[in-house]
Amino acid sequence: MPPLNERFQESRVVSADEVRGAFPALERQHEGFPVAYFDGPGGTQVPRTVVEAMANYLFQHNANTHWAFPTSAETDAALHGARRVLADFVNASPDEIVFGANMTSLTFRVSRALGRRLGPSDAIVVTELDHHANIDPWRALARDRGITIRQSRMIPETGQLDWDDLDRCLSQHGTKLLAIGAASNAVGTINDVARAVAMAHEAEALAFVDAVHFAPHQLVDVQAWDCDFVVCSAYKFHGPHVGVLYGKRALLRSLEVTKLRPAPDTAPERLEAGTQNHEGIVGAAAAVEFLAGLVKEEQECVDPNELDAWIMTRRQRLATVFQALHTRGCALLERLWEGCGCIPGVRLFGPPPGAPRTPTIALVVANVPATEVAIRLARRGIFASHGDFYAQTVAERLGQARDGLLRLGCACYTTENEVDRVVESLRAIAQGHE
Ligand SMILES: Cc1ncc(COP(=O)(O)O)c(C=O)c1O
């Protein structure tokens, strides 16, 4: 019998075609074309199982928490279960998982709590490559508390962080926190988070990581990163509109959060203000289960006496799935990048294939504003987002603040055929044939 890790390699992850069957939205037609969703970085489509889990909660178990009747107890159990699932998703413990409305609200909440410890001699480092949800809450705090903000530069030519500048920003006096993105939602760059966290800790600062764009593409590992906080949003990985925060246990227990006196003061609930979005939390867990369920186990090879040794944990299944999705994403990205890159008048931004990145690209078409490109693509059934995606500083640094960028993001349901359709359509738009 082969060792366990070989068994994982033998495991198969379902094909893109099989994945597609799970998403009712993919049946949609627009102007006679099957819809190709390239708007995943703005929000991914949702599989049937996630919607069913949410409907089942609302139909069968709907109640408020902590009471002595069955639906309330079932709600407590559902929320606890969801914390366990999301803990596996980021490699943490259930009591380190906090739910909230979205990443932005959670970041404001944590920043306000952390800010109570900070004052005019302190500094926070943010980066130019980040979504403003990981910049502006810290800037607002700085205004209120007299804290200094240092913004570490990006390199416009490569769409990557300037690591020397990050080092310079962190090593100056009084740095108390680094706010950094794991991946850029505008140009797809993946940052070496473990390295950035180590640099922050070296400077005796905390590290707050925005993994919203990273989480659909690579498996978050808070232990490998050793970060103090991570935030992500389930609607970017096939779940509903719910935010998820990981925080190191000691921090979640000690943060000076604003809370109602009768509300629980134990972590993680003390971070969750008011009644939560129970059905959304159930849906977030179902999204993780959906991803973990993309592994096809080869049951027939399993000796029933050794079944326990063969059963993959949820985390192991997620690792297998994400490895396969990463390989597929790289192939799609390369096809997209090569295809778009050779269209005269199309300019691509961000790191090329091969560099650490997600399958999300940003581009402009000469003489056609990004809004217009998006409108024309939609006429061909291709849904893509445009603008600055709240990565406003990135758009500015790329010189695209006025006209914006067009963003194409591949997701687990994207096919080569869809990539070819988008390339063909962009060629027609660039050549003025649309
Ligand atoms: C990288 C990144 N960070 C943060 C956010 C904000 O997330 P939310 O909408 O959950 O507040 C987004 C949303 O697009 C994002 O892409």
Side-chain angles (χ1 to χ4, degrees):
M1 177 99 37
L4 203 56
N5 46 5
E6 276 178 39
R7 174 73 180 79
F8 296 157
Q9 284 161 15
E10 274 174 40
S11 298
R12 299 279 179 274
V13 172
V14 302
S15 69
D17 283 343
E18 287 170 289
V19 170
R20 288 176 68 83
F23 291 90
L26 301 180
E27 289 157 24
R28 185 176 172 132
Q29 303 269 322
H30 183 71
E31 311 250 349
F33 294 96
V35 172
Y37 294 93
F38 280 91
D39 62 334
T44 42
Q45 299 308 315
V46 178
R48 197 175 281 105
T49 50
V50 169
V51 179
E52 283 168 358
M54 296 172 72
N56 179 54
Y57 170 76
L58 286 169
F59 284 140
Q60 309 294 340
H61 311 286
N62 188 23
N64 216 324
T65 52
H66 305 322
W67 278 316
F69 52 87
T71 47
S72 182
E74 287 155 18
T75 295
D76 290 338
L79 299 186
H80 182 65
R83 268 191 234 285
R84 291 178 48 173
V85 174
L86 269 299
D88 282 351
F89 188 56
V90 299
N91 205 15
S93 299
D95 63 341
E96 295 173 313
I97 300 296
V98 176
F99 294 109
N102 48 50
M103 176 277 181
T104 305
S105 313
L106 285 165
T107 304
F108 269 115
R109 181 147 176 78
V110 171
S111 67
R112 300 326 282 182
L114 281 170
R116 293 179 155 197
R117 302 174 172 183
L118 305 178
S121 57
D122 297 319
I124 292 175
V125 175
V126 298
T127 91
E128 288 184 343
L129 195 55
D130 271 66
H131 185 287
H132 273 240
N134 203 23
I135 298 175
D136 295 346
W138 308 109
R139 283 201 182 282
L141 186 67
R143 273 194 303 276
D144 293 351
R145 311 275 310 173
I147 299 163
T148 301
I149 292 283
R150 295 189 203 110
Q151 189 155 28
S152 166
R153 284 196 295 261
M154 66 174 275
I155 305 168
E157 293 74 24
T158 61
Q160 289 164 326
L161 278 181
D162 179 337
W163 287 84
D164 291 337
D165 192 52
L166 181 62
D167 190 35
R168 187 189 59 77
C169 290
L170 285 170
S171 54
Q172 286 178 52
H173 183 72
T175 308
K176 289 294 187 304
L177 183 119
L178 167 66
I180 188 167
S184 159
N185 67 313
V187 291
T189 319
I190 290 182
N191 290 324
D192 183 344
V193 175
R195 177 181 174 194
V197 172
M199 286 163 71
H201 287 173
E202 176 74 26
E204 296 183 11
L206 296 174
F208 185 97
V209 180
D210 171 2
V212 172
H213 184 62
F214 182 93
H217 302 293
Q218 295 207 13
L219 195 54
V220 173
D221 188 340
V222 296
Q223 293 187 38
W225 286 350
D226 190 29
C227 50
D228 301 288
F229 299 98
V230 167
V231 255
C232 55
S233 291
Y235 73 95
K236 309 284 190 183
F237 54 84
H238 314 296
H241 296 89
V242 167
V244 183
L245 167 82
Y246 155 82
K248 279 187 178 163
R249 188 176 292 115
L251 284 164
L252 294 187
R253 286 183 179 167
S254 62
L255 277 180
E256 288 180 59
V257 283
T258 45
K259 62 174 284 297
L260 309 186
R261 187 149 64 103
D265 200 20
T266 47
E269 290 88 350
R270 62 195 300 275
L271 275 285
E272 294 171 343
T275 307
Q276 294 299 300
N277 176 355
H278 299 166
E279 58 280 15
I281 292 169
V282 165
V288 174
E289 294 288 27
F290 165 76
L291 288 164
L294 295 181
V295 170
K296 278 201 291 199
E297 301 249 18
E298 290 166 19
Q299 300 290 353
E300 66 276 15
C301 329
V302 177
D303 173 349
N305 296 324
E306 300 199 29
L307 197 59
D308 282 354
W310 290 105
I311 291 172
M312 293 165 83
T313 64
R314 187 186 291 115
R315 179 78 188 167
Q316 287 165 335
R317 280 185 281 128
L318 286 166
T320 306
V321 168
F322 271 83
Q323 184 55 48
L325 294 182
H326 175 64
T327 306
R328 286 180 204 172
C330 287
L332 291 170
L333 182 269
E334 205 171 316
R335 198 177 181 97
L336 188 59
W337 184 275
E338 301 298 332
C340 295
C342 60
I343 302 172
V346 168
R347 184 172 161 210
L348 299 171
F349 298 94
R357 62 159 16 271
T358 65
T360 296
I361 68 168
L363 55 84
V364 292
V365 180
N367 305 319
V368 192
T371 323
E372 192 52 39
V373 179
I375 290 169
R376 294 185 198 179
L377 285 175
R379 280 191 209 129
R380 290 169 165 246
I382 295 163
F383 292 2
S385 38
H386 69 279
D388 64 24
F389 328 109
Y390 283 22
Q392 197 175 32
T393 308
V394 176
E396 284 163 7
R397 297 285 281 123
L398 296 178
Q400 304 302 324
R402 199 196 56 184
D403 289 340
L405 297 156
L406 183 92
R407 181 176 64 178
L408 298 168
C410 302
C412 71
Y413 40 71
T414 307
T415 64
E416 289 182 355
N417 175 266
E418 289 177 330
V419 168
D420 294 346
R421 274 176 62 199
V422 84
V423 171
E424 225 175 89
S425 304
L426 279 173
R427 188 183 301 282
I429 293 167
Q431 289 173 347
H433 297 156
E434 268 292 299

